[in-house]
Amino acid sequence: MTSQLVTDSISEMQPANTVSLALLADRYATNPSVASIRILNAENQVLATGGLTKTREGEVFVREALQNEKKVGAVEITLIKPSIGEILRTQWLAILASLFVHGLLWLAYRAIARPSRTEYLARINNESRLKHEIQTLTQTLEQEKHNAAVAIAQAQQNTQTKAKAKEIIKPVIVDSNDLALNIQFYDPKQLIDSVNTTVSVPYFNLCQIFLNKTVELCVQHYKLNSSDICTVQKFNEKGASISISADTPNALQCLTMIGAVFQLLSDVLYKRYREEKRFVLQTRSAVSSAVEAMQLSSVQAAERLVQQLSAKESAVHVPNELLKDISAHFQLVSLPNPTNVLTRHAFMVNGMDSDAAELAQSFRTEILKSKQPKAS
């Protein structure tokens, strides 16, 4: 509009024809958006004005009028800045329509994003089940601590060595024919080093209870003797290790199932303790035989293999003739990015068939519920 007014009025500015300029200003001022118009000469003197609301404030547009690259005048147009009342008065229909559309979008979002009643009830039931399981585990730990204190008191009063014999751990025998299971905590942030022993020791004891009960059930299922399993290291900040002779029937299946069941128990404990903001770590496990090429016993090989895994992962390193014992029930995939003889011949446990999964789930449920009467 400013450019057009300059084009129309430049011929009347020199010499100045104020009547024609006033008519032009009045004609442009009929636009309802125009508050005022001023036409100036080269010395910024007013030649003509226009506009019905000259006192209104608004955005000002100024453009010089040039003739033969010489300034002969200027045009100044002020557009009305509408008030809130004017906007509401002129745009009320569009505003109501926008509110209506936004309301519909909000209702649609709530209907789509809000979980269904079935999902909500399932989540509540799952949280209640986890809470009950962890309460049971906590009670079990307290009962075990009480039983341990009673046993220590009796041992101090009794001069016999029966209680001491029960506490003796089988020595670690470096045998090339042994299989070892190692379970470690996945702790990339080194949280164990920053936790007080009053927190970590009960947590390690609870993990050991899980492992002991898992070993007991798996030994019964695979028809082994409890003496076949050798406890190399009980749970501490470095994890735990157990071993068994490879000549024992179903030895590899038993160790692999122990690792799988313990991972399920560890996952339940991790989820619940995280909700309660208590110290807890995820775990990883590995079963291995001895590696003669690296001069590693089965226990040492399992410990080193676990360090290549992340949370909730399991791996196996055994001779090929033993792999057939578990390949029918466990899905095995090659370990990615092998760097040595150990990792080159190792396999990750990527899943299990329905029979093995049901067995592991039943063991998990039995362990979580078995000691509830004693704890109560």
Side-chain angles (χ1 to χ4, degrees):
M1 186 185 298
T2 307
S3 300
Q4 186 63 37
L5 182 54
V6 169
T7 302
D8 294 343
S9 61
I10 192 170
S11 60
E12 306 294 338
M13 288 183 179
Q14 195 175 19
N17 187 343
T18 57
V19 176
S20 297
L21 293 175
L23 292 175
L24 281 173
D26 290 339
R27 187 177 70 185
Y28 276 83
T30 57
N31 190 311
S33 299
V34 176
S36 64
I37 296 177
R38 294 201 310 165
I39 300 176
L40 312 174
N41 60 12
E43 289 76 26
N44 290 331
Q45 295 177 349
V46 178
L47 300 178
T49 60
L52 302 177
T53 54
K54 299 178 181 180
T55 59
R56 290 287 296 269
E57 295 182 354
E59 191 172 0
V60 180
F61 297 86
V62 180
R63 178 156 297 189
E64 295 180 349
L66 301 177
Q67 191 174 36
N68 298 326
E69 298 182 358
K70 178 182 178 182
K71 179 180 178 182
V72 296
V75 171
E76 181 182 292
I77 297 179
T78 303
L79 297 183
I80 295 175
K81 183 179 180 181
S83 63
I84 295 178
E86 290 175 333
I87 295 175
L88 294 176
R89 186 174 64 253
T90 57
Q91 303 292 332
W92 64 271
L93 184 59
I95 293 174
L96 289 179
S98 177
L99 290 176
F100 178 73
V101 171
H102 280 79
L104 290 179
L105 291 176
W106 180 74
L107 292 174
Y109 172 78
R110 290 198 60 186
I112 295 173
R114 184 174 57 186
S116 64
R117 181 175 179 83
T118 303
E119 294 174 344
Y120 177 75
L121 293 177
R123 180 179 178 183
I124 294 298
N125 292 335
N126 184 54
E127 291 179 352
S128 300
R129 178 178 58 81
L130 289 176
K131 182 177 181 180
H132 175 71
E133 291 175 353
I134 296 301
Q135 287 177 348
T136 302
L137 297 177
T138 305
Q139 292 172 353
T140 301
L141 176 60
E142 295 297 331
Q143 183 66 23
E144 291 290 339
K145 290 170 63 177
H146 174 72
N147 293 340
V150 172
I152 292 174
Q154 292 176 350
Q156 291 176 347
Q157 296 174 0
N158 194 344
T159 57
Q160 299 178 358
T161 60
K162 293 182 180 180
K164 294 182 180 180
K166 292 181 181 179
E167 295 295 328
I168 295 177
I169 299 176
K170 295 181 181 180
V172 179
I173 301 176
V174 180
D175 191 338
S176 60
N177 200 35
D178 279 354
L179 298 178
L181 167 65
N182 180 260
I183 303 173
Q184 292 183 17
F185 298 107
Y186 182 67
D187 188 19
K189 298 183 179 180
Q190 302 296 322
L191 297 179
I192 289 184
D193 298 335
S194 62
V195 176
N196 194 289
T197 55
T198 58
V199 176
S200 61
V201 171
Y203 175 61
F204 296 151
N205 292 339
L206 181 57
C207 292
Q208 188 63 42
I209 292 173
F210 279 165
L211 181 59
N212 292 343
K213 192 62 179 178
T214 302
V215 170
E216 178 183 341
L217 293 179
C218 291
V219 165
Q220 293 176 0
H221 176 77
Y222 290 102
K223 296 179 175 55
L224 304 179
N225 297 321
S226 58
S227 58
D228 294 333
I229 301 291
C230 173
T231 300
V232 179
Q233 174 182 292
K234 289 188 175 182
F235 260 103
N236 56 26
E237 63 275 4
K238 296 181 180 180
S241 295
I242 60 176
S243 67
I244 188 172
S245 174
D247 295 332
T248 305
N250 299 323
L252 181 57
Q253 294 186 48
C254 183
L255 285 186
T256 307
M257 182 57 67
I258 290 173
V261 175
F262 185 86
Q263 293 280 52
L264 294 177
L265 295 169
S266 176
D267 190 46
V268 172
L269 185 65
Y270 180 80
K271 291 179 180 178
R272 190 58 190 175
Y273 272 28
R274 289 279 295 188
E275 291 180 358
E276 297 179 355
K277 301 187 184 304
R278 299 171 62 179
F279 170 73
V280 67
L281 294 171
Q282 292 179 302
T283 56
R284 48 191 177 170
S285 64
V287 177
S288 180
S289 59
V291 183
E292 296 181 0
M294 300 177 64
Q295 297 182 350
L296 296 176
S297 66
S298 58
V299 175
Q300 294 170 335
E303 292 177 353
R304 186 171 298 188
L305 182 57
V306 170
Q307 296 172 3
Q308 306 297 321
L309 306 177
S310 297
K312 302 169 66 174
E313 292 183 346
S314 300
V316 176
H317 174 274
V318 294
N320 292 333
E321 58 270 16
L322 292 179
L323 285 177
K324 61 183 181 180
D325 295 341
I326 61 172
S327 58
H329 301 287
F330 294 87
Q331 181 182 2
L332 304 177
V333 296
S334 299
L335 200 68
N337 304 321
T339 57
N340 49 42
V341 176
L342 175 64
T343 55
R344 192 177 302 119
H345 296 92
F347 295 89
M348 288 186 61
V349 179
N350 198 37
M352 60 184 75
D353 63 6
S354 57
D355 293 338
E358 290 177 1
L359 179 62
Q361 189 68 22
S362 64
F363 284 170
R364 167 191 172 276
T365 303
E366 183 175 351
I367 293 172
L368 291 175
K369 295 181 179 180
S370 61
K371 294 196 175 184
Q372 183 178 359
K374 291 183 180 181
S376 60

